[in-house]
C-alpha cells in the first residue's frame, strides 16, 4: 500500500510522533496516554538497537506500553555501518532484536544514519549501505525508512521524495512547514510533556507511513489541551543572557568525572545524555553564568552544553587537552637544524612526527615540536 501524503496546513508544527530511547529511561503507559490525550501524539518510534552489539534495554517495555496506550508503534536502529557487509549484519541484528522486543510485523524499522562512520563515507557508499540495510530488514517483515539530518539529506546520502524522516530544528518553529514532502519532520529535541521528565524528540507526520500505512485512528480526548500544548511547544522560550557573553574557544577537554550534556547552558535545561569520565569533548564557545562555567559542543544537528566546573573552580570537572606547538619547514631546514633550534634530540623530533631521521622533509611540512 502506498503512503498517502496529508498536505496539511502547518501554522504550528504538530507533535504527531515521539521517539524514545534508553536516554528517556522507563516510560509508563500513563505517560504515553497523556501524550496522546493532551498533546495529540499518534505514534511512537522506539530505539531497538545500535551497531552490531547494543540492544536498547527499554525497547520491550516501551513497545508494550505504547501499544497499551493505543498508539502506533515503530522502531529505529542507530547505524554504525561503514560497508555493505556491515549494513547487512546490523540489519540482521536489528531485525532479530526487534522480534525479541515485540515490535509487530508491518511496523517501520528505520535506520538512523548520523554516525561518524557514515560521515566518513561518500554519498554513493552511504546510499549502497542504506539500501542493503533496508533490503535486509524487509526480510523480517518490517517496513523501512531513513532518518537523518536536513544537512545530510541529499548531501551525505540520497533521500528520495516521499520517503525519509528528516531532523532540522528552526529557532522559531511557528509558521514553519519544513520537509513536507518527506514522511516526517523532526522539529524539536526538547519538547516537554506534562507527566514525563526531560525533553523529547518530536516530529510532524506528513504521510500515513508511520501510522501503519493508514489514516490514523488515534484521537485525543482533550482537543483544547492539544491546541494549547501545541502552541506552547512552538514557542522558543530560551533567552540570551544580558549579563554574560559567549567567547570563542576551540578546545578539547577530557572529563574527569561523569557530566551531563544538556540542551542549554543551565542546570534546568534538559539532559541530552550523560557522559562518562574519560570522554573527550571538543568545544567552540564558553561562558560563565548561573554559577558554572559552560562550554558549547557542536553536534550532529545543533549543540550540546556541559559545565566544566563551578565558577569558583572552572575546570574542576575536566582536564584540557595538551596544547601543541608546530613548526613549518622552510627551505634549507633539516632534522638536525630544527631539533637544535628547539632543544630536542633529532631522534625525538623525528619519532614524535612518526618518521625517522632518514625521512625527507619538504618546505611547507608541519612538524610537531611539543
Amino acid at each position: 500500500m502506498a503512503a498517502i501524503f496529508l498536505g496539511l496546513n502547518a501554522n504550528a508544527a504538530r507533535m504527531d510522533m515521539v521517539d524514545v530511547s534508553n536516554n528517556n529511561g522507563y516510560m509508563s503507559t500513563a505517560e504515553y496516554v497523556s501524550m496522546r490525550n493532551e498533546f495529540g501524539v499518534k505514534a511512537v518510534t522506539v530505539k531497538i538497537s545500535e551497531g552490531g552489539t547494543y540492544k536498547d534495554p527499554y525497547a520491550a517495555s516501551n513497545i508494550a506500553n505504547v501499544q497499551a496506550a493505543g498508539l502506533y508503534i515503530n522502531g529505529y536502529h542507530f547505524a554504525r555501518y561503514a560497508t555493505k557487509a556491515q549494513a547487512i549484519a546490523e540489519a540482521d541484528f536489528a531485525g532479530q532484536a526487534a522480534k525479541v522486543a515485540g515490535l509487530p510485523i508491518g511496523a517501520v524499522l528505520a535506520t538512523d544514519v548520523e554516525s561518524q562512520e557514515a560521515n566518513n563515507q561518500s554519498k554513493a557508499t552511504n546510499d549502497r549501505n542504506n539500501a542493503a540495510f533496508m533490503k535486509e530488514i524487509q526480510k523480517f517483515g518490517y517496513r523501512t525508512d531513513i532518518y537523518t539530518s536536513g544537512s545530510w539529506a541529499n548531501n551525505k546520502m540520497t533521500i528520495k521524495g516521499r520517503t525519509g524522516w528528516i531532523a532540522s530544528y528552526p529557532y522559531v518553529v511557528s509558521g514553519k512547514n519544513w520537509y513536507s514532502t518527506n514522511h516526517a519532520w523532526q522539529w524539536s529535541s526538547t519538547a516537554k510533556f506534562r507527566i514525563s521528565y526531560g525533553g523529547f524528540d518530536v516530529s510532524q507526520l506528513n504521510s500515513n507511513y508511520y501510522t501503519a500505512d493508514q489514516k490514523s485512528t488515534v484521537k485525543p480526548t482533550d482537543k483544547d489541551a492539544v491546541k494549547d500544548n501545541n502552541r506552547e511547544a512552538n514557542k522558543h522560550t530560551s533567552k540570551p543572557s544580558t549579563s554574560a557573553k559567549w567567547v570563542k574557544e576551540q578546545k578539547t577537554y577530557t572529563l574527569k568525572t561523569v557530566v551531563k550534556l544538556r540542551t542549554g547552558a543551565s542546570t534546568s535545561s534538559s539532559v541530552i545524555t550523560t557522559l562518562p569520565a574519560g570522554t573527550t569533548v571538543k568545544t567552540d564557545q564558553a561562558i560563565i553564568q548561573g554559577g558554572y562555567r559552560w562550554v558549547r559542543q557542536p553536534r550532529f544537528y545543533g549543540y550540546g552544553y556541559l559545565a566544566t566546573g563551578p565558577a569558583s573552580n572552572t575546570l574542576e570537572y575536566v582536564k584540557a587537552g595538551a596544547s601543541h606547538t608546530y613548526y613549518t619547514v622552510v627551505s634549507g631546514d633539516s632534522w638536525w637544524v630544527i631539533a637544535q633550534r628547539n632543544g630536542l634530540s633529532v631522534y625525538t623530533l623525528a619519532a614524535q612526527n612518526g618518521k625517522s631521521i632518514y625521512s625527507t622533509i619538504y618546505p611547507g611540512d608541519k612538524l610537531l615540536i611539543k
Side-chain angles (χ1 to χ4, degrees):
M1 183 186 298
I4 298 173
F5 278 73
L6 306 177
L8 298 176
N9 183 12
N11 290 324
R14 303 183 308 276
M15 294 183 282
D16 296 326
M17 183 168 74
V18 177
D19 54 284
V20 297
S21 71
N22 58 294
N23 288 330
N24 301 105
Y26 177 79
M27 297 286 296
S28 67
T29 299
E31 288 177 278
Y32 290 124
V33 169
S34 173
M35 289 180 180
R36 180 197 71 198
N37 289 340
E38 301 173 47
F39 296 84
V41 173
K42 300 178 177 67
V44 178
T45 299
V46 308
K47 184 175 183 178
I48 300 295
S49 50
E50 179 174 337
T53 58
Y54 179 81
K55 297 178 182 178
D56 193 297
Y58 294 103
S61 62
N62 275 325
I63 291 169
N65 293 342
V66 167
Q67 291 179 305
L71 297 168
Y72 293 97
I73 184 69
N74 302 287
Y76 75 90
H77 168 80
F78 189 96
R80 292 288 185 185
Y81 48 73
T83 67
K84 181 178 179 181
Q86 290 171 348
I88 293 171
E90 287 193 24
D92 288 334
F93 177 73
Q96 292 163 8
K99 291 274 190 182
V100 171
L103 189 68
I105 296 298
V108 176
L109 182 45
T111 178
D112 176 350
V113 188
E114 55 179 296
S115 69
Q116 187 59 47
E117 290 88 344
N119 192 33
N120 291 338
Q121 309 307 315
S122 67
K123 181 180 178 182
T125 298
N126 282 330
D127 285 347
R128 179 198 64 192
N129 295 344
N130 291 341
F133 179 94
M134 292 191 290
K135 182 178 180 181
E136 191 72 11
I137 279 294
Q138 290 174 334
K139 295 179 181 179
F140 292 87
Y142 298 120
R143 294 177 297 129
T144 62
D145 203 10
I146 300 172
Y147 168 93
T148 194
S149 74
S151 62
W152 280 28
N154 297 312
N155 290 310
K156 281 291 182 180
M157 69 202 73
T158 300
I159 303 295
K160 296 180 180 178
R162 297 179 178 271
T163 70
W165 173 17
I166 310 300
S168 188
Y169 307 151
Y171 185 79
V172 177
V173 182
S174 184
K176 305 295 193 303
N177 189 22
W178 293 1
Y179 301 101
S180 59
T181 60
N182 298 104
H183 285 314
W185 166 37
Q186 185 185 90
W187 53 270
S188 177
S189 63
T190 59
K192 306 289 185 182
F193 294 100
R194 185 176 64 82
I195 64 172
S196 298
Y197 175 77
F200 290 81
D201 298 337
V202 293
S203 301
Q204 175 173 288
L205 297 180
N206 299 316
S207 78
N208 58 11
Y209 193 67
Y210 283 86
T211 57
D213 251 349
Q214 61 188 8
K215 184 178 180 180
S216 173
T217 59
V218 175
K219 304 296 181 185
T221 58
D222 192 339
K223 293 183 179 180
D224 289 336
V226 171
K227 289 180 180 179
D228 290 342
N229 289 326
N230 186 235
R231 190 180 301 114
E232 185 65 26
N234 274 253
K235 294 179 181 178
H236 197 294
T237 57
S238 65
K239 296 179 180 178
S241 171
T242 58
S243 59
K245 293 184 179 180
W246 287 92
V247 295
K248 290 184 178 180
E249 174 201 85
Q250 293 190 336
K251 287 189 177 181
T252 299
Y253 294 101
T254 301
L255 303 186
K256 297 179 184 177
T257 185
V258 173
V259 173
K260 292 179 179 179
L261 186 69
R262 299 180 180 273
T263 57
S266 168
T267 55
S268 63
S269 295
S270 299
V271 176
I272 297 173
T273 189
T274 300
L275 303 175
T279 300
T280 299
V281 178
K282 292 183 178 181
T283 68
D284 68 348
Q285 291 192 17
I287 194 172
I288 296 178
Q289 64 179 20
Y292 292 88
R293 179 180 184 272
W294 295 89
V295 292
R296 188 175 78 169
Q297 178 200 39
R299 290 171 61 80
F300 174 63
Y301 37 63
Y303 299 96
Y305 301 82
L306 64 149
T308 60
S312 58
N313 184 6
T314 57
L315 298 181
E316 180 177 339
Y317 309 149
V318 301
K319 54 184 177 181
S323 59
H324 298 296
T325 301
Y326 292 88
Y327 174 77
T328 302
V329 178
V330 298
S331 179
D333 276 340
S334 66
W335 288 112
W336 186 86
V337 169
I338 298 170
Q340 287 296 306
R341 188 181 299 147
N342 290 281
L344 296 172
S345 156
V346 67
Y347 296 99
T348 298
L349 177 62
Q352 68 189 19
N353 283 280
K355 299 179 182 295
S356 78
I357 62 172
Y358 304 106
S359 301
T360 302
I361 54 176
Y362 300 94
D365 288 350
K366 287 186 178 295
L367 298 180
L368 174 63
I369 300 301
K370 64 178 181 177

